């Protein structure tokens, strides 16, 4: 039986981790243990599709391919105290992640060539630029790099992308005997229809939360807009625009939106709804990951937030998103 994918995403501090913890307590469900960013982040698969299929140009698509491969090197490598940032996909997924990515790219391209264009100069630092100029002056040659040429059809891109993702997860799934693999933050909440087609069988769950608590949590954790809102005299209207814009793009018939507060306070009803969506009976295990008592402490954070005017502004402008205890 093929593994089914359950993609769980949030809007940023909206509590999607609670749903993931809840699902992990049921038989056949497991996670990678980390956020899977390959599809939606800049230079990931969605960007690759855009440049190879929608906005093809001979130099643009080559740059997109090389950006994708450089991004895959970041995902493959480890982070360290004195090392560049990395996600360690090699060890986490038990594969040579960059090699799998290179195979994927080779199937999407027609050929490579040793070429030169001024675009290659754009990302060079000063020292590297000087070295290139000195080399050209001495040798009367231009330094070249391997460049890519490819113009795949939509069907080829989609088939190879599906196969690529299957190969990435294959060892992990087999080693753990997973029936339902939960992917954390793999699918963007906006334009999700683009990413969902990369899987043969996937259900997509989004978790939302009271906008007042999201606002306070962003500030408390100094994340996203929260780093600016820590300062005095912040413009709360920016948060209103942020909140509404993210949700404008999350309207899709294949999306199932859950409230964080319902996961905490109405857990049984949430499980029943998931069973209806997946068309299966969930079997509880003895594993314990979801703690409703701890999660409930993250509900109503806005009540102790000192600037009541900001909270009132959010209530007035985002009233339809406010959680009301029934």
């Amino acid at each position: 039986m093929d593994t089914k994918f359950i993609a769980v995403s949030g809007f940023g501090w909206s509590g999607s981790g609670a749903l993931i913890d809840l699902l992990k307590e049921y038989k056949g469900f497991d996670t990678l243990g980390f956020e899977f960013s390959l599809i939606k982040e800049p230079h990931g698969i969605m960007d690759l599709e855009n440049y190879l299929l929608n906005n093809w140009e001979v130099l643009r698509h080559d740059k997109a391919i090389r950006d994708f491969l450089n991004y895959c090197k970041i995902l493959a490598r480890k982070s360290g105290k004195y090392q560049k940032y990395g996600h360690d996909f090699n060890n986490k997924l038990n594969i040579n992640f960059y090699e799998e990515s290179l195979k994927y790219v080779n199937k999407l391209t027609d050929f490579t060539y040793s070429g030169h264009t001024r675009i290659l100069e754009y990302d060079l630092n000063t020292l590297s630029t000087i070295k290139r100029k000195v080399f050209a002056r001495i040798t009367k040659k231009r330094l070249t790099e391997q460049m890519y040429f490819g113009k795949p059809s939509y069907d080829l891109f989609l088939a190879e992308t599906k196969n690529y993702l299957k190969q990435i997860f294959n060892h992990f799934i087999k080693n753990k005997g997973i029936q339902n693999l939960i992917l954390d933050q793999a699918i963007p909440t906006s334009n999700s229809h683009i990413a969902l087609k990369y899987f043969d069988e996937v259900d997509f769950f989004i978790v939302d939360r009271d906008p007042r608590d999201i606002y306070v949590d962003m500030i408390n954790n100094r994340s996203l807009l929260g780093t600016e809102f820590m300062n005095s005299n912040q413009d709360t209207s920016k948060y209103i625009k942020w909140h509404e814009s993210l949700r404008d793009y999350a309207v899709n018939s294949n999306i199932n939106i859950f409230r964080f507060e319902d996961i905490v306070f109405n857990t049984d009803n949430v499980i029943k709804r998931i069973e209806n969506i997946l068309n299966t009976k969930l079997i509880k295990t003895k594993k314990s990951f979801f703690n409703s008592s701890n999660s409930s402490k993250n509900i109503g954070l806005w009540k102790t937030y000192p600037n009541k005017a900001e909270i009132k502004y959010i209530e007035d402008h985002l009233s339809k998103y406010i959680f009301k205890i029934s």
Side-chain angles (χ1 to χ4, degrees):
M1 180 179 179
D2 291 338
T3 298
K4 185 170 186 177
F5 293 94
I6 311 294
V8 179
S9 296
F11 297 104
W13 298 101
S14 59
S16 59
L19 184 58
I20 291 173
D21 286 342
L22 182 62
L23 287 171
K24 284 163 57 179
E25 295 186 347
Y26 289 84
K27 185 177 179 181
F29 289 82
D30 209 339
T31 69
L32 296 174
F34 58 90
E35 292 187 5
F36 185 73
S37 51
L38 174 65
I39 294 172
K40 70 175 186 177
E41 282 193 344
H43 307 311
I45 294 176
M46 289 178 71
D47 276 0
L48 191 63
E49 175 183 354
N50 186 41
Y51 286 104
L52 287 179
L53 301 184
N54 305 323
N55 294 290
W56 194 93
E57 195 275 334
V58 65
L59 297 182
R60 285 161 60 91
H61 90 277
D62 161 72
K63 182 66 164 61
I65 290 169
R66 288 185 290 109
D67 284 344
F68 173 76
L69 289 174
N70 285 331
Y71 175 54
C72 288
K73 287 180 180 178
I74 296 172
L75 296 180
R77 72 191 181 207
K78 285 185 178 181
S79 287
K81 190 174 183 180
Y82 302 107
Q83 295 175 298
K84 291 183 178 181
Y85 187 83
H87 283 274
D88 198 21
F89 276 16
N90 283 352
N91 288 318
K92 290 177 178 177
L93 296 172
N94 191 29
I95 58 170
N96 187 324
F97 178 73
Y98 182 75
E99 286 299 319
E100 290 295 335
S101 302
L102 195 57
K103 291 177 187 176
Y104 168 58
V105 163
N106 287 338
K107 290 177 180 178
L108 298 176
T109 52
D110 298 299
F111 57 84
T112 61
Y113 60 100
S114 180
H116 176 84
T117 167
R118 66 174 179 268
I119 294 174
L120 300 177
E121 312 283 346
Y122 291 172
D123 296 329
L124 297 180
N125 57 34
T126 302
L127 180 59
S128 296
T129 300
I130 293 172
K131 285 181 178 179
R132 277 186 180 257
K133 289 180 178 180
V134 170
F135 175 86
R137 180 171 296 181
I138 294 173
T139 65
K140 307 301 181 183
K141 296 179 180 179
R142 277 182 166 174
L143 285 176
T144 60
E145 289 192 18
Q146 176 174 284
M147 299 179 67
Y148 292 83
F149 186 90
K151 204 170 187 297
S153 67
Y154 174 84
D155 289 342
L156 175 64
F157 180 86
L158 189 58
E160 293 300 341
T161 300
K162 287 182 177 182
N163 184 63
Y164 171 51
L165 289 171
K166 287 177 182 178
Q167 289 299 117
I168 287 173
F169 299 128
N170 189 43
H171 287 289
F172 187 89
I173 289 171
K174 283 186 176 180
N175 288 342
K176 292 205 169 188
I178 299 171
Q179 296 174 355
N180 300 279
L181 181 60
I182 306 166
L183 299 178
D184 185 9
Q185 310 303 321
I187 305 296
T189 54
S190 55
N191 298 309
S192 59
H193 62 284
I194 298 173
L196 288 170
K197 69 177 184 287
Y198 301 150
F199 299 89
D200 286 322
E201 191 172 5
V202 60
D203 282 289
F204 185 33
F205 299 159
I206 290 180
V207 178
D208 206 354
R209 182 184 179 196
D210 191 303
R212 297 168 295 182
D213 281 339
I214 293 177
Y215 180 80
V216 173
D217 230 356
M218 278 189 184
I219 295 173
N220 290 344
N221 287 280
R222 304 181 182 184
S223 176
L224 301 173
L225 293 180
T227 54
E228 177 172 326
F229 293 158
M230 291 177 62
N231 304 320
S232 58
N233 302 317
Q234 57 262 42
D235 183 1
T236 312
S237 67
K238 291 182 180 179
Y239 175 70
I240 304 302
K241 180 65 175 177
W242 170 285
H243 193 96
E244 289 189 316
S245 295
L246 265 62
R247 285 149 185 81
D248 282 346
Y249 288 100
V251 179
N252 187 301
S253 60
N254 294 323
I255 296 174
N256 304 286
I257 298 179
F258 293 82
R259 289 295 301 241
F260 172 72
E261 295 84 0
D262 284 329
I263 296 169
V264 176
F265 294 139
N266 303 304
T267 310
D268 290 343
N269 289 337
V270 168
I271 290 298
K272 288 178 182 177
R273 184 182 169 199
I274 293 172
E275 288 178 333
N276 287 335
I277 294 169
L278 300 181
N279 193 29
T280 188
K281 178 69 176 177
L282 300 186
I283 302 173
K284 191 80 165 62
T285 67
K286 294 181 179 180
K287 297 176 182 179
S288 180
F289 299 101
F290 174 65
N291 189 316
S292 60
S293 179
N294 284 342
S295 293
S296 66
K297 296 175 184 177
N298 292 313
I299 297 175
L301 296 177
W302 59 271
K303 295 177 182 178
T304 56
Y305 184 69
N307 194 322
K308 303 303 180 186
E310 293 169 23
I311 298 301
K312 182 64 166 59
Y313 188 85
I314 293 171
E315 291 173 344
D316 290 342
H317 290 81
L318 297 174
S319 58
K320 67 180 180 179
Y321 300 103
I322 298 295
F323 176 70
K324 301 175 179 65
I325 299 176
S326 55

